[in-house]
Amino acid sequence: MRFKNTLSIHMTVFAVVFLASFFTMVVAFAQAPDRATIAFSTNDEAQGGIWLVDIDVRGGQGKGDVHVQNQRVLLAIDGNPIPLGLVWSPEGRRIAFHTQIDENIDVYAVDSDGQNLRRLTDHEAEDSWPSWHPGGEKIAFCTNRDGNFEIYVMSSTGQGLFNLTNDPAKDREPDWSRNGRLIAFASKRGKSLGDIWVMDSGGGNLKNITNVRGEDMQPRWSWDGQKIAWTSRRNGNDEIMTMDAADGGNLLKISDLKDARSQGRPNREPSWKPDGRAIAAPALGGGKSFIMIHPADGSLQWQDLPAVGIQNRSPTWFDPEYVIEEFSVSPAEKQVSTWGRIKQAVQNN
């Protein structure tokens, strides 16, 4: 009888703890945006920060097809540092970025409700351009702490740093493919001014994807892994281009300085809409910048988002419809399968 009572008590305690953990987890995940959202950075003479805006691209082409609403500030930083390299965590709960605070350029992360700003690196060297592994447990970034820029990987809490590239050339701006197997990055290996390379997630099997005169940089994978968008200076100006990820074929120019509506402003820092139909990128020039949304079919039409402050940079797109369930939560948190079931249950109701 004593055994049964003890077992009953243990089962009751287990049920209470499990339910408490379950509802805590649901609340945590509820912080992710419930619609397609672009995060972008801005600054003015007194303050820098991160803003969010909800986005609806209808038809994917032409001016008037982009509808924006609910533009709001997420994070304000005193002074006028501009956060750059913004990237959503896979499940949309956090945003990583780099910025200069206390004289150091370091990688930070903030929750998607603007709370819990955390410094992930703390080094006198430059740590920049973070990219989240689709499992959420690792972040790739570039750093010159070894004397030249290399691609490093650390845990999402900033621990366990590991040099992936370890090459005398400058390796920068990593971007993890959505299946977690490959990393695209920009490198000045050989006599190149800058090419796009791809390696496996362990740093091996390197492959040069672009190999032309002029600098190629800031590669970004499409959601399906079939395309890479990047910033190219091969024609003397910063333009957004796309290509096949496998071999660099099917080159397509997405932005065009000859378009009078762009006022001749170069485009950089591309970010794919998860469904692959559009690319957001800031147009820079004259000390100011605004974010343009380009159709990914190369039709050279665009629409700009409402500007905030002086510079609007580093757009990054999140859409809850494109969360990869098997990768949506860090395995270290032991919540992958549970979140997958929760998301499926919501979709089925």
Side-chain angles (χ1 to χ4, degrees):
M1 185 68 176
R2 180 180 302 172
F3 172 78
K4 290 183 178 179
N5 289 338
T6 302
L7 179 61
S8 177
I9 292 173
H10 286 173
M11 291 299 293
T12 300
V13 171
F14 172 80
V16 171
V17 171
F18 174 80
L19 288 174
S21 300
F22 177 85
F23 285 111
T24 298
M25 182 173 59
V26 171
V27 170
F29 279 107
Q31 296 176 0
D34 61 359
R35 65 187 67 190
T37 300
I38 288 180
F40 64 95
S41 60
T42 186
N43 72 347
D44 55 28
E45 295 178 355
Q47 200 171 66
I50 298 174
W51 285 65
L52 302 179
V53 59
D54 297 332
I55 298 291
D56 181 15
V57 179
R58 301 173 186 174
Q61 297 184 22
K63 194 172 182 65
D65 290 334
V66 179
H67 299 261
V68 302
Q69 59 182 340
N70 195 24
Q71 186 165 288
R72 67 270 190 198
V73 64
L74 175 75
L75 176 70
I77 305 173
D78 289 337
N80 64 345
I82 184 165
L84 293 173
L86 274 61
V87 58
W88 289 95
S89 64
E91 79 297 330
R93 290 189 300 157
R94 293 169 288 176
I95 296 173
F97 60 94
H98 72 266
T99 195
Q100 185 171 3
I101 300 177
D102 301 332
E103 299 183 356
N104 290 337
I105 299 176
D106 284 304
V107 176
Y108 294 79
V110 64
D111 290 353
S112 59
D113 60 2
Q115 302 299 311
N116 298 320
L117 176 65
R118 298 177 295 282
R119 190 176 202 153
L120 300 184
T121 67
D122 190 359
H123 198 278
E124 60 185 10
E126 176 182 326
D127 298 330
S128 55
W129 300 106
S131 175
W132 231 299
H133 181 276
E137 80 278 11
K138 295 182 289 186
I139 292 176
F141 67 103
C142 65
T143 178
N144 61 351
R145 62 182 63 201
D146 292 333
N148 69 297
F149 281 102
E150 305 277 10
I151 307 301
Y152 269 61
V153 169
M154 63 180 171
S155 74
S156 59
T157 59
Q159 307 300 313
L161 276 68
F162 179 76
N163 187 343
L164 276 183
T165 50
N166 197 22
D167 190 272
K170 292 182 179 180
D171 299 321
R172 301 198 61 176
E173 301 155 349
D175 189 53
W176 231 307
S177 65
R178 296 303 181 268
N179 61 12
R181 299 173 184 173
L182 300 171
I183 296 175
F185 64 101
S187 179
K188 295 189 175 182
R189 297 171 185 241
K191 298 181 180 180
S192 169
L193 294 175
D195 283 326
I196 305 303
W197 289 67
V198 172
M199 62 181 171
D200 64 35
S201 59
N205 298 316
L206 279 77
K207 184 178 181 180
N208 185 192
I209 304 299
T210 65
N211 187 12
V212 297
R213 296 186 63 180
E215 185 177 3
D216 293 330
M217 56 187 174
Q218 300 170 342
R220 295 294 179 265
W221 291 92
S222 64
W223 187 265
D224 61 9
Q226 300 301 306
K227 297 284 185 178
I228 291 177
W230 82 100
T231 303
S232 178
R233 289 178 176 168
R234 61 184 62 194
N235 297 320
N237 298 302
D238 290 354
E239 299 280 12
I240 304 302
M241 302 186 69
T242 65
M243 62 182 169
D244 292 343
D247 57 9
N250 290 319
L251 295 178
L252 190 62
K253 183 187 289 188
I254 302 300
S255 64
D256 191 353
L257 288 178
K258 296 179 182 179
D259 188 336
R261 293 173 299 178
S262 70
Q263 301 178 20
R265 298 186 181 193
N267 280 220
R268 303 183 67 180
E269 304 175 80
S271 175
W272 287 91
K273 188 173 186 287
D275 66 10
R277 296 194 303 176
I279 293 174
L284 315 177
K288 298 182 179 180
S289 59
F290 58 94
I291 294 171
M292 304 171 69
I293 296 181
H294 304 266
D297 61 4
S299 58
L300 301 179
Q301 302 178 65
W302 61 273
Q303 181 168 335
D304 56 285
L305 298 183
V308 178
I310 298 174
Q311 296 191 73
N312 296 261
R313 298 280 302 274
S314 294
T316 179
W317 223 310
F318 175 76
D319 189 334
E321 295 298 319
Y322 287 81
V323 170
I324 304 174
E325 292 183 358
E326 63 268 30
F327 275 145
S328 60
V329 187
S330 167
E333 299 176 20
K334 299 180 181 179
Q335 296 173 350
V336 177
S337 60
T338 305
W339 171 237
R341 287 195 294 270
I342 292 171
K343 188 171 188 291
Q344 184 178 19
V346 171
Q347 290 175 339
N348 289 341
N349 289 334

